[in-house]
């Protein structure tokens, strides 16, 4: 994943299933990302694309202008979020879309539209902050949805590997599936598949800075955004479960 539920709805009472079984929020985000990439490629010229990145990509070096040239730092109000809507090309976009569909879908089906978007954009911002800690003086910029998608991945790992809970109705005795519990961080790490996935994620992304030594070429992967977003998703998702419990 490079950085660079609507369950089936009713269709007129015919019983036909929709073609796409993705939650509405995931479909909407994918559509928005594709539309922006189409506009970038087909509508904007080279100068327009440059201005798009200047105004909406995340540039950590702007943090150095906060005290001396505050006007140049103003885009920091929105670029930690808007960088997640831009991509460096179609290959970059399609890879992120595939990852979004896989890990965003279970989060959207469990929590709904607003929590999914909150996790996505807060994780994108967390990824941007972590990116800035290692690239502040380099002049590098950040584009791509993978920090936000990493957050959705971290959120999904908290429950997707847990056993399905089966409840029994007190009056009828009927047994039914009620879903998977949200594991605590300790419970998540105690589950072998969740632990393996989490360690794999951390090790693979943490090893990205070493790739140029092995491949003798620069690797343009914002591993910092992946790690920062993933941790943000792991921590943030518990808040939504607590809110759901207190509302019952």
């Amino acid at each position: 994943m490079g950085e660079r539920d609507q369950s089936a709805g009713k269709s007129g009472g015919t019983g036909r299933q929709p073609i796409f079984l993705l939650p509405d929020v995931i479909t909407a985000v994918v559509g928005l990302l594709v539309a922006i990439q189409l506009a970038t490629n087909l509508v904007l010229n080279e100068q327009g694309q440059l201005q798009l990145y200047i105004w909406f990509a995340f540039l950590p070096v702007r943090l150095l202008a906060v005290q001396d040239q505050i006007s140049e730092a103003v885009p920091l109000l929105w670029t930690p979020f808007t960088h997640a809507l831009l991509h460096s090309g179609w290959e970059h976009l399609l890879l992120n879309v595939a990852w979004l569909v896989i890990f965003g879908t279970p989060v959207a089906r469990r929590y709904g539209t607003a929590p999914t978007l909150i996790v996505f954009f807060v994780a994108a911002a967390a990824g941007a902050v972590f990116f800035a800690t290692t690239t502040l003086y380099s002049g590098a910029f950040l584009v791509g949805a993978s920090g936000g998608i990493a957050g959705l991945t971290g959120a999904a790992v908290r429950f997707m590997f847990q056993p399905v809970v089966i409840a029994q109705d007190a009056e009828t005795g009927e047994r039914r599936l009620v879903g998977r519990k949200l594991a605590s961080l300790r419970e998540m790490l105690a589950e072998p598949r969740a632990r393996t996935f989490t360690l794999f994620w951390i090790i693979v992304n943490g090893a990205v800075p070493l790739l140029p030594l092995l491949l003798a070429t620069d690797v343009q992967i914002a591993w910092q955004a992946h790690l920062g977003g993933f941790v943000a998703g792991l921590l943030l998702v518990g808040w939504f479960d607590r809110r759901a419990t207190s509302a019952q």
Side-chain angles (χ1 to χ4, degrees):
M1 180 176 57
E3 179 72 19
R4 271 241 200 225
D5 155 38
Q6 286 36 13
S7 43
K10 296 179 181 178
S11 179
T14 63
R16 292 180 298 176
Q17 299 296 319
I19 296 175
F20 300 105
L21 298 179
L22 296 178
D24 289 348
V25 63
I26 300 300
T27 302
V29 172
V30 169
L32 178 61
L33 297 179
V34 171
I36 290 173
Q37 188 64 35
L38 278 172
T40 301
N41 292 150
L42 302 180
V43 177
L44 299 179
N45 56 24
E46 185 175 346
Q47 183 61 29
Q49 293 179 17
L50 177 60
Q51 290 298 314
L52 181 69
Y53 287 140
I54 288 175
W55 284 101
F56 296 103
F58 179 69
L59 284 70
V61 72
R62 280 195 169 111
L63 292 167
L64 301 177
V66 170
Q67 292 183 338
D68 300 328
Q69 297 173 299
I70 189 65
S71 61
E72 293 188 13
V74 169
L76 290 173
L77 295 174
W78 60 81
T79 54
F81 308 100
T82 58
H83 79 271
L85 304 178
L86 305 177
H87 290 84
S88 60
W90 285 106
E91 182 178 351
H92 184 200
L93 171 64
L94 293 176
L95 185 60
N96 276 345
V97 164
W99 204 264
L100 172 63
V101 168
I102 293 171
F103 290 98
T105 295
V107 176
R109 286 182 175 158
R110 182 181 180 99
Y111 296 108
T113 297
T116 299
L117 293 176
I118 290 172
V119 171
F120 177 80
F121 282 109
V122 171
V129 170
F130 196 21
F131 180 79
T133 63
T134 59
T135 61
L136 184 59
Y137 297 97
S138 70
F141 66 91
L142 178 67
V143 295
S146 53
I149 297 169
L152 294 172
T153 304
V157 170
R158 287 281 299 273
F159 62 85
M160 64 185 297
F161 294 112
Q162 298 303 307
V164 175
V165 176
I166 300 177
Q168 186 172 9
D169 189 279
E171 295 184 2
T172 66
E174 180 184 5
R175 294 169 62 83
R176 55 188 176 83
L177 301 180
V178 295
R180 303 175 189 271
K181 67 169 289 186
L182 185 78
S184 66
L185 294 178
R186 178 177 295 181
E187 290 170 335
M188 182 197 76
L189 293 176
E191 209 290 324
R193 294 171 300 170
R195 181 175 62 247
T196 299
F197 184 94
T198 301
L199 292 176
F200 177 80
W201 180 276
I202 294 172
I203 291 171
V204 167
N205 283 285
V208 168
L210 303 178
L211 290 181
L213 301 177
L214 302 175
L215 304 178
T217 184
D218 193 18
V219 179
Q220 300 296 325
I221 299 177
W223 56 274
Q224 310 96 319
H226 297 173
L227 291 175
F230 186 78
V231 172
L234 278 177
L235 300 177
L236 184 60
V237 68
W239 185 70
F240 296 111
D241 257 51
R242 287 194 296 271
R243 280 179 58 86
T245 300
S246 62
Q248 292 177 353

